[in-house]
Amino acid sequence: MSEISGTTGDVVWQSSPPGSIYDYIRVASFSIGPDGLVDQWSARATELFGIPPYQVRGKDPVEVFMPADLRPRGHRQVAEILDGKEWTGLVPFRMPHEGGAHGLAEIYVMPSETETGERGALCVVVDVRALRRIETDLASSQAIFGQSPFGFLLFGTDLKVQRANERFAKVFGGAIEDHRGRTVHDYLSRPEAERLTGALKRVLETGEAVNDFQIVGTQPGGKDRRHWSVNLYRVHSGAGRPIGVAGIGTDVTRRHIAAREAASARRNLALLNDASARIGNSLDLETTARQLLDVAVPGFCDLAAVDLYQSLLTGEEAPPGRGGSSRSESGGGSASLRRVAFASAVSDAPLTGPGDLLEGGYVPPEVGAVHRFPFASLAASALRTGRVQSIPGSAGSLIQSTLAVPLVAHDAVVGLAQFSRTKGSEPFGDRDRALAVELAARAAVCIDNARLYRREHERALILQRSLLPPGDPEAAGLDIACRYLPGNTATEVGGDWFDVIELPGHRTALVVGDVMGRGLRAAVAMGELRTAVRTLALLDLEPAEVLSALDEIARGLGTPSGAQQASRVAHKSRDADLSEVYLATCVYAVYDPVTRRCTFANAGHPPPVVVEPGEEPLMLDVPPGMPLGVGGEPFEQVEVELAEGALLSLYTDGLVESRDQPLDEGLAAFRAALSHPVRPLEDVCDHVLNTLDTRHGEDDIALLMARIQGLPVDAVGDWRLPREPRSVGRARELARAQLVAWDLEPLVDTVELLVSELVTNALRYGEGEIRLRLLRDRTLVCEVWDAGLVQPRRRRARDTDEGGRGLQLVGLLSAAWGSRRTPRGKTVWFELPLPDGDSTAEPTVEQLLSMF
């Protein structure tokens, strides 16, 4: 930089300001005298070469800087330069006292003359390494700026745009150069532009970055409001001087839409939660209908009405089902209904009901009136089809639209609910339709409880029988037999159940439980607990964890809310009634046929009995714990190794206890009946039931017996693999060799592919050593173990993704797959049918292409 004085005309040289090019490139100079020796040495040369002037002045530069093999050529070049030739080239140089060449310099040598006419040379040196670094930095900066998928702007200190990338120009139109010199006012409304300008000034003044700065605007030529998230940070020169502010913008419109929908969903969930707490607290039909409207108005709609079939109110056994209103066609409309409830949040609304249902001469009735909807009306269509109908408001009416929602319970239409919104309110959307259906469904179930209560015993028995495993279940490494004896017809149905659940890795969960109490509620509680057990078992929790979760569920079943409280018989003691129905005992065991080890956990249930070959029957010492539903106490679990051929027995207290037989005597008789377990397992079950006093009929009896048959050693392949890329190929080789040894060649290609995917995932996302295990029984199971805790998650790969389809392949090619926790990590597994078994269908071309 230079200035020329206005008075003297002299050139005044000033020092370079911060940010000069000389801050980035390393330039030095020195001169060579007529004798070929260095006679002048600049400070920049001292900095570049690390040699002070007194060490180089008067010395031959070729000898000082150049490697020995290049010195002859260097002397020739110096001689030519002293003869008057210019020369430019790349010269390697070495640092004294460090041995060898360490750098590469570009030297420009210009001949010069002394005062006496002798020839010398002036040398200008540039460090090539610094130039290469600048070149690389510029290329990297251009790649990041130009190829960024986000809008990128660089503002100068005057807050005008200095640079914009292609993404920004694509969104706001025009070429990149068109945006140079603009301000934020050229893109945003005045309020938004002023907000962003203030943020830019703060960043420029303070240096503090601003993240996720939200602005709203529209794209050129567009009408939809867009939301952008902007990150701002100050940019500095190499010397640290602020030179502007960089801004990165991301379109987050979809995120805002999702957030708005989530807020709507939360409101709907709150409404449903309110409905759960308020609807169904009474067996009175009119009261339940009014409770529905109390929830819906005004939180969901402005007006609402409920009509119930007259047949339901007069005590007929079954209301019309879907299509049932057609039986009244001769009467010119729907079956007879009675208006049982009406609510309005609008002061000038009709006093009888939604006034838009004036089609076909229909006039909304008053509360308590019996009426029929015209056959051609949308309301009658909703009753016939069991589907929601949207009825638009008529011209000049207060009502904007009405949803006619049939009250459907157990596939029977019991009535019609109408929800209306007035003009000026937000129109009904798809979510509103779904919410209206849910509200109506909850109310319909409560309304229908009275009819269902009359057939409590029959339905309880059907429910209980349907929830028991059909026939004798099968399990890997176990021979299973079971018996269930209901109480006599003089007693209500109890809550005994048993279950055999297949777990990953050919393991099996054995469950026997007993819900205290009788009747429909006991059967329902049993069904819910049994369903919960199956769900928790498939999560592969430890037995003690399963019982702890069941305890929480059982305590929730005992909460007097919703339909549970509505089904309570009047004038009974509430605490005693609930304690009988929602307390339960249960024993839960998990058997591993590979190790023949069984893990037990007990919640107040009679202990399991084991009979090993040649030994006397033994009651296992499993800590009993508290019954489910009591809460507050943790459960313990015990692991036992069972001998080959051992007999395991689980049962309910109805087998060993009655009014005429104390529990201790019943347990002793049970052990005696198991003293000779060599006979077939079915015969053992029959012998036990015939020997013990099982005819009393006071309680249900459930008996589950299993004979231990561990998997043969040659049916298990187990390997440990180091955590290295070669383990993927090694895993394929091991799997192929094992399948060939098992004569399962048809599965080789599929197993190799899936094993490769799982081992690759374990290497990429897992931790620690990898373990591969193949199990052959009724099916083929492959397990991959690692020490990572993160569970695999199947995702939808985008078209441009190079990966992310491994678990989709596993899901398509296997009969089943999943993952489970282990004490030191996780296990990911898949299962395939054996070639001679029921094979799963090969994936179609469409299924495979859907992954891409």
Side-chain angles (χ1 to χ4, degrees):
M1 177 178 176
S2 64
E3 292 183 358
I4 300 177
S5 171
T7 56
T8 64
D10 296 334
V11 176
V12 179
W13 295 92
Q14 295 183 345
S15 60
S16 298
S20 168
I21 187 65
Y22 296 103
D23 290 336
Y24 301 94
I25 62 175
R26 304 177 67 184
V27 181
S29 65
F30 62 91
S31 63
I32 301 175
D35 55 359
L37 304 180
V38 175
D39 60 357
Q40 293 188 29
W41 189 254
S42 68
R44 289 274 188 174
T46 300
E47 179 184 349
L48 175 62
F49 295 106
I51 303 175
Y54 70 87
Q55 290 185 0
V56 69
R57 190 179 295 120
K59 294 184 180 180
D60 188 339
V62 174
E63 296 294 332
V64 173
F65 300 111
M66 298 188 67
D69 56 338
L70 298 178
R71 290 173 186 172
R73 182 179 176 184
H75 285 298
R76 288 195 300 271
Q77 292 290 347
V78 171
E80 292 177 358
I81 292 167
L82 294 177
D83 286 340
K85 284 186 177 182
E86 291 187 359
W87 181 81
T88 302
L90 297 175
V91 177
F93 65 90
R94 59 186 177 86
M95 307 293 283
H97 313 300
E98 295 189 14
H102 288 275
L104 187 66
E106 182 175 0
I107 301 182
Y108 176 40
V109 183
M110 298 170 287
S112 63
E113 289 187 3
T114 64
E115 295 178 355
T116 59
E118 295 179 303
R119 290 185 177 177
L122 175 64
C123 302
V124 178
V125 185
V126 178
D127 188 347
V128 175
R129 295 173 301 174
L131 293 177
R132 295 292 180 269
R133 283 195 298 268
I134 293 173
E135 183 182 45
T136 302
D137 290 345
L138 288 174
S140 300
S141 175
Q142 182 60 33
I144 295 174
F145 189 86
Q147 300 173 18
S148 172
F150 309 108
F152 208 126
L153 286 178
L154 181 62
F155 296 91
T157 54
D158 56 358
L159 302 186
K160 292 183 179 180
V161 176
Q162 291 187 346
R163 289 191 65 184
N165 69 346
E166 292 183 3
R167 177 60 182 171
F168 183 87
K170 183 177 180 180
V171 172
F172 285 94
I176 294 177
E177 292 298 325
D178 296 339
H179 297 275
R180 193 183 303 273
R182 293 183 179 180
T183 67
V184 294
H185 289 272
D186 296 313
Y187 305 105
L188 301 172
S189 63
R190 182 175 179 179
E192 291 294 284
E194 290 178 352
R195 287 181 57 243
L196 184 55
T197 300
L200 288 169
K201 290 180 179 179
R202 289 195 301 272
V203 172
L204 190 62
E205 293 172 358
T206 65
E208 296 181 359
V210 172
N211 296 318
D212 197 21
F213 186 84
Q214 299 289 321
I215 57 176
V216 180
T218 57
Q219 295 178 212
K223 297 181 180 179
D224 296 335
R225 288 165 57 88
R226 311 297 296 178
H227 295 260
W228 290 285
S229 172
V230 180
N231 295 330
L232 304 173
Y233 58 92
R234 192 168 69 182
V235 182
H236 304 83
S237 67
R241 178 174 59 90
I243 60 174
V245 177
I248 302 175
T250 307
D251 192 330
V252 293
T253 305
R254 291 185 178 179
R255 189 171 72 187
H256 276 263
I257 294 174
R260 187 168 62 248
E261 292 180 350
S264 175
R266 284 193 296 270
R267 289 193 297 270
N268 290 349
L269 287 175
L271 194 65
L272 289 176
N273 184 59
D274 189 26
S276 299
R278 299 172 63 179
I279 299 176
N281 295 323
S282 171
L283 287 175
D284 182 73
L285 300 178
E286 288 84 353
T287 300
T288 303
R290 287 194 296 270
Q291 290 170 345
L292 169 63
L293 301 191
D294 289 341
V295 171
V297 179
F300 176 68
C301 62
D302 301 315
L303 297 92
V306 174
D307 300 283
L308 298 180
Y309 277 115
Q310 182 70 358
S311 60
L312 182 71
L313 297 170
T314 56
E316 290 188 16
E317 186 62 23
R322 299 190 184 189
S325 59
S326 61
R327 68 182 183 178
S328 304
E329 290 181 6
S330 60
S334 65
S336 297
L337 298 106
R338 182 192 302 174
R339 173 134 311 171
V340 296
F342 167 73
S344 172
V346 183
S347 59
D348 54 350
L351 299 178
T352 53
D356 284 315
L357 301 180
L358 300 175
E359 33 182 355
Y362 167 76
V363 178
E366 295 182 358
V367 175
V370 178
H371 65 101
R372 293 183 180 184
F373 291 108
F375 181 81
S377 66
L378 293 175
S381 175
L383 290 169
R384 284 194 303 271
T385 62
R387 297 179 180 176
V388 182
Q389 297 291 335
S390 180
I391 306 173
S394 59
S397 171
L398 175 69
I399 305 300
Q400 179 191 80
S401 61
T402 298
L403 293 178
V405 186
L407 299 171
V408 182
H410 307 290
D411 207 37
V413 178
V414 299
L416 185 73
Q418 301 168 65
F419 305 103
S420 298
R421 287 182 179 174
T422 57
K423 292 180 179 178
S425 299
E426 184 178 353
F428 287 117
D430 292 338
R431 290 182 181 271
D432 296 320
R433 290 172 64 95
L435 180 59
V437 170
E438 180 66 22
L439 290 173
R442 297 189 181 208
V445 170
C446 297
I447 290 171
D448 201 41
N449 274 343
R451 181 174 62 88
L452 297 177
Y453 188 76
R454 297 169 190 161
R455 294 152 57 182
E456 178 179 341
H457 185 274
E458 176 186 354
R459 291 187 178 274
L461 183 58
I462 295 173
L463 174 64
Q464 188 179 52
R465 291 292 181 88
S466 66
L467 291 175
L468 295 176
D472 290 333
E474 296 182 352
L478 291 175
D479 181 17
I480 296 177
C482 50
R483 295 289 187 272
Y484 177 77
L485 299 178
N488 58 42
T489 56
T491 61
E492 291 185 277
V493 176
D496 291 15
W497 92 91
F498 65 91
D499 210 347
V500 178
I501 308 169
E502 293 186 24
L503 300 177
H506 285 319
R507 296 171 304 129
T508 304
L510 305 174
V511 190
V512 171
D514 183 3
V515 176
M516 301 179 188
R518 297 184 178 278
L520 179 60
R521 286 180 296 163
V524 169
M526 177 270 284
E528 292 182 336
L529 290 177
R530 177 184 178 273
T531 302
V533 168
R534 295 190 71 88
T535 302
L536 295 169
L538 294 179
L539 295 177
D540 226 355
L541 303 178
E542 293 291 331
E545 294 177 330
V546 171
L547 293 187
S548 296
L550 281 177
D551 180 59
E552 292 293 332
I553 294 172
R555 290 182 355 186
L557 294 176
T559 302
S561 63
Q564 297 170 4
Q565 184 175 353
S567 63
R568 204 169 57 240
V569 180
H571 308 301
K572 275 193 174 183
S573 169
R574 182 169 75 178
D575 294 338
D577 191 38
L578 290 176
S579 66
E580 288 180 356
V581 173
Y582 296 112
L583 292 180
T585 64
C586 179
V587 61
Y588 183 88
V590 175
Y591 171 69
D592 187 347
V594 179
T595 61
R596 296 200 318 278
R597 299 186 72 85
C598 193
T599 305
F600 297 89
N602 192 349
H605 202 79
V609 176
V610 173
V611 187
E612 296 193 348
E615 300 290 338
E616 292 295 321
L618 173 68
M619 287 193 300
L620 292 179
D621 186 14
V622 180
M626 299 297 291
L628 301 177
V630 174
E633 292 294 331
F635 296 95
E636 299 180 48
Q637 62 186 40
V638 174
E639 188 176 61
V640 178
E641 183 173 352
L642 302 174
E644 184 76 18
L647 181 65
L648 173 64
S649 299
L650 305 177
Y651 51 95
T652 56
D653 57 2
L655 181 68
V656 294
E657 185 179 26
S658 68
R659 278 180 289 187
D660 299 327
Q661 185 181 42
L663 179 60
D664 291 341
E665 294 181 9
L667 290 174
F670 181 44
R671 293 199 305 272
L674 294 174
S675 296
H676 304 285
V678 181
R679 67 187 78 181
L681 201 56
E682 294 289 338
D683 294 344
V684 175
C685 286
D686 292 337
H687 175 70
V688 169
L689 295 179
N690 291 331
T691 302
L692 300 181
D693 179 19
T694 60
R695 307 291 182 182
H696 52 76
E698 297 174 2
D699 197 0
D700 296 355
I701 294 173
L703 175 63
L704 177 61
M705 289 187 146
R707 180 166 280 130
I708 304 302
Q709 298 172 348
L711 286 183
V713 176
D714 59 359
V716 179
D718 196 351
W719 307 275
R720 296 183 183 274
L721 303 171
R723 188 169 192 80
E724 57 187 29
R726 291 182 300 174
S727 294
V728 178
R730 178 61 177 160
R732 289 195 297 265
E733 296 172 359
L734 293 171
R736 171 181 285 273
Q738 186 65 73
L739 292 180
V740 171
W742 284 340
D743 295 326
L744 297 178
E745 287 86 354
L747 299 181
V748 167
D749 292 339
T750 301
V751 171
E752 277 192 327
L753 175 61
L754 300 188
V755 164
S756 178
E757 291 294 340
L758 295 191
V759 174
T760 299
N761 281 350
L763 285 173
R764 182 174 298 175
Y765 306 110
E767 299 176 5
E769 186 182 52
I770 298 172
R771 181 180 176 188
L772 171 65
R773 189 165 78 167
L774 294 179
L775 307 176
R776 178 186 178 179
D777 192 66
R778 293 172 299 156
T779 61
L780 177 70
V781 173
C782 173
E783 300 175 325
V784 176
W785 312 43
D786 69 79
L789 298 177
V790 178
Q791 296 293 319
R793 179 176 60 86
R794 182 174 176 178
R795 67 181 179 87
R796 177 77 177 182
R798 294 173 297 183
D799 294 344
T800 56
D801 288 349
E802 296 181 1
R805 300 177 178 87
L807 292 181
Q808 293 187 50
L809 279 174
V810 175
L812 280 175
L813 298 179
S814 64
W817 77 278
S819 66
R820 66 178 186 270
R821 294 183 301 168
T822 64
R824 290 181 294 276
K826 67 174 180 300
T827 299
V828 185
W829 58 271
F830 66 84
E831 183 177 1
L832 293 173
L834 301 183
D836 56 350
D838 295 332
S839 61
T840 57
E842 291 291 331
T844 64
V845 174
E846 290 75 11
Q847 288 175 317
L848 291 174
L849 290 178
S850 68
M851 297 187 301
F852 296 90

